[in-house]
Amino acid sequence: MTTLPHPGTGEPFASPVPPGTGWPADPARPRTRVARSSDDVERLAASSRSLEQLDARVTVCRACPRLVAWRESVARDKRAAFAGEPYWGRPVAAFGSTNPHGLIVGLAPAANGANRTGRMFTGDRSGEWLFASLHRVGIASQPVSKHAGDALELDGVRITSPVHCAPPDNVPTSVEKATCSTWLVRELQLLEPGLRTVVTLGGIAWTQTLGVARRLGWEVPRPAPRFGHGAEVELRTAKGRPIKLLGCYHVSQRNTQTGVLTEDMLDAVLARLHDPIL
């Protein structure tokens, strides 16, 4: 088995990385239970008793054959710029606070970004924008995120996604989104007691989050709220707690390079993760 040194620790790893072999912040173990179908995802997500257990199960999921094949092929046939380092090549778990008041919902890992580093938004241009902004508004401990294990911490905020595997052409299918969103259902159940603000990066994240909220029995305005940058809507949990949902244009290169999303626009939305409970 060919191994390469991790860019941060120098320890050797295969690509994809087997669970429980020492990759920084890997939540899984060799015997972590593996979902191999949508029914398995339903069962394992529902029975996850903590965020740590949920994250571990997410990172070994094999329920979507197309995504498994793609993420692992990218990990083996590396981009030339990263040919000398190992690729995570597994689903990417959420990252950040385990007791957050704020949640950021993206779309899916980038093939040569989080699929390589094993951490949400780490290792690509989108992450450069996101973490720099989170640092400016006082949430991220540092403005740059290069790899898992680089000491980055988020204050009171967690980053997740409705799809945890890198999809071909950055486009997951409807079935893949439906299967993977079950993990997000359980995640929001576990986060709900302390959660007060959710920021969605892009229209797909907005739509997926609203769908998950309905599956949880949360009160969602009708007709369905429309996505837009700075859009705001109040959701209410099954227990009647208000949670603000905020829309933000995605930190994609297309948006940032064309000026559709500026640093000021991004900072203005992310700063609202600090909004107090009313």
Side-chain angles (χ1 to χ4, degrees), residues 50 62 74 193 200 277:
S50 66
R62 302 183 68 84
V74 172
T200 62
I277 299 173

Side-chain angles (χ1 to χ4, degrees), residues 19-20 28-34 57 60:
R29 297 293 179 265
R31 293 190 177 183
T32 296
R33 300 180 70 179
V34 179
R57 291 174 173 181
V60 296

